[in-house]
Amino acid sequence: MLFHIPKVLDAGRLARCRQLLDTAQWADGRLTAGTQAAKVKHNRQLPEDGAEARELRAIVLEALSKSALFFAAALPKRIYPPLFNRYGGEANAFGNHVDNAIRTHPASAQHVRTDLSFTLFLAEPDEYDGGELVIEDGFAGRPVKLPAGDLILYPSYSVHRVEPVTRGARLACFSWLESMVREPQQRELLFELDMSILAHREQHGDDDVSVRLTSCYHNLMRMWTDV
Ligand code: NI
């Protein structure tokens, strides 16, 4: 299942991100790719230890921590420190690949099992042609190209690619996370229940049904989470 999380970054945070990305020094994107992915990866990436990357990461992680929808959909346990990439010019595409199952943070040596991947778009769709993120989910790949500040969350086990950028530059933040709920079906059921409880409470307030459904939600969380 794919989740679209709109407006993760507000206009002010987005403008600061763009300022930092415009002055940053880019490196070869193959730095963080596995051996299979490296063969099809042609983009630029910010070195993880640069000053710009550090400030950008802090902005994104703070915004993610405030997004109730991101939390409900991902139930994040550990988020790999977000990375930033640029597709354009010669380095303009990333062919079909699957993300590595485990990412190990170079500084902390902490492992993150990649249950979910995300892309946070940092350029507006009219700034570039191509650059759709295509996620093979079911029979056909679904192309995703979102407004700047919006995020797509998708299963890390899916085969995915970034189509060639033929004009302008596609800027994005991306990373992976380990969820408190490992099984996608359980996670999706919890999300559906959570959203249904919210809708019920909006219509009926905190009636007895909402209390009982909320109790089911938390008891399922007790059964299924690993924290
Ligand atoms: Ni990928």
Side-chain angles (χ1 to χ4, degrees), residues 1-5 73-74 116 151-154 187-188 191:
M1 193 164 165
L2 312 185
F3 294 97
H4 173 194
I5 320 277
L116 291 163
L151 180 144
I152 185 88
L153 193 60
Y154 60 99
R187 209 184 307 121
E188 286 164 21
F191 179 77

Side-chain angles (χ1 to χ4, degrees), residues 93-152:
F94 194 169
N96 267 344
H97 67 280
V98 171
D99 296 341
N100 283 3
I102 306 289
R103 309 292 315 193
T104 305
H105 187 242
S108 67
Q110 190 180 47
H111 301 303
V112 176
R113 186 190 62 234
T114 60
D115 296 324
L116 291 163
S117 304
F118 68 79
T119 294
L120 170 60
F121 289 77
L122 297 173
E124 294 295 352
D126 63 4
E127 291 182 76
Y128 59 99
D129 290 333
E132 293 85 0
L133 171 65
V134 180
I135 299 157
E136 298 203 350
D137 178 35
F139 291 109
R142 282 197 224 179
V144 178
K145 188 168 180 174
L146 299 177
D150 284 20
L151 180 144
I152 185 88

Side-chain angles (χ1 to χ4, degrees), residues 68-88:
L69 191 57
F70 176 79
F71 183 86
L75 298 172
K77 178 176 172 181
R78 295 192 187 107
I79 302 177
Y80 187 87
L83 299 164
F84 297 84
N85 61 20
R86 180 184 192 281
Y87 292 81

